Amino acid sequence: MEELLSINIRIAGRNYPLSVLPEDEENAREAGRLVNERFLEEKNKKKKRDDVDILAVIAVMNTVRWLNASNEKLALQATITERINRLDELIDSTLTT
């Protein structure tokens, strides 16, 4: 079992301890940086909003992006599988004639 690293991510002025795999450390730190950057952008736009509300909106929007990317990936995988099957059929028909 791989050892986890303990890191701290600072978002909205607060530290959040995380345990991550060594290979995920860079992405975890980058994710924290991006969330904090987005938080500051939203905070400047809507100065009267509570920090928790801003973070909730960021979480929802990031999840929407993730779902969209996941759906695009599935559609691309289906397209690739379909094209490979067509190529396989063409090769088989060429070899059997």
Side-chain angles (χ1 to χ4, degrees):
M1 189 161 108
E2 202 167 348
E3 291 290 320
L4 296 176
L5 293 176
S6 293
I7 64 172
N8 284 303
I9 303 294
R10 189 163 183 82
I11 300 172
R14 293 180 64 180
N15 285 326
Y16 294 92
L18 295 175
S19 296
V20 298
L21 293 171
E23 62 264 27
D24 293 337
E25 179 184 8
E26 186 178 334
N27 283 338
R29 291 187 187 281
E30 179 68 5
R33 187 189 68 73
L34 291 171
V35 169
N36 198 53
E37 200 173 271
R38 182 73 191 269
F39 170 80
L40 293 173
E41 288 171 10
E42 291 296 320
K43 183 81 169 170
N44 288 333
K45 280 188 213 172
K46 304 187 169 110
K47 295 184 184 211
K48 294 182 183 178
R49 266 192 153 164
D50 181 50
D51 290 355
V52 173
D53 292 340
I54 293 170
L55 290 170
V57 168
I58 291 169
V60 169
M61 295 311 298
N62 284 343
T63 303
V64 167
R65 286 189 193 117
W66 179 83
L67 288 170
N68 287 339
S70 182
N71 290 336
E72 288 173 14
K73 177 185 170 188
L74 290 173
L76 183 59
Q77 286 174 332
T79 301
I80 290 170
T81 299
E82 181 183 318
R83 289 182 181 176
I84 288 171
N85 288 339
R86 273 195 259 149
L87 285 171
D88 193 39
E89 289 170 6
L90 285 171
I91 291 169
D92 282 348
S93 69
T94 302
L95 291 176
T96 56
T97 53

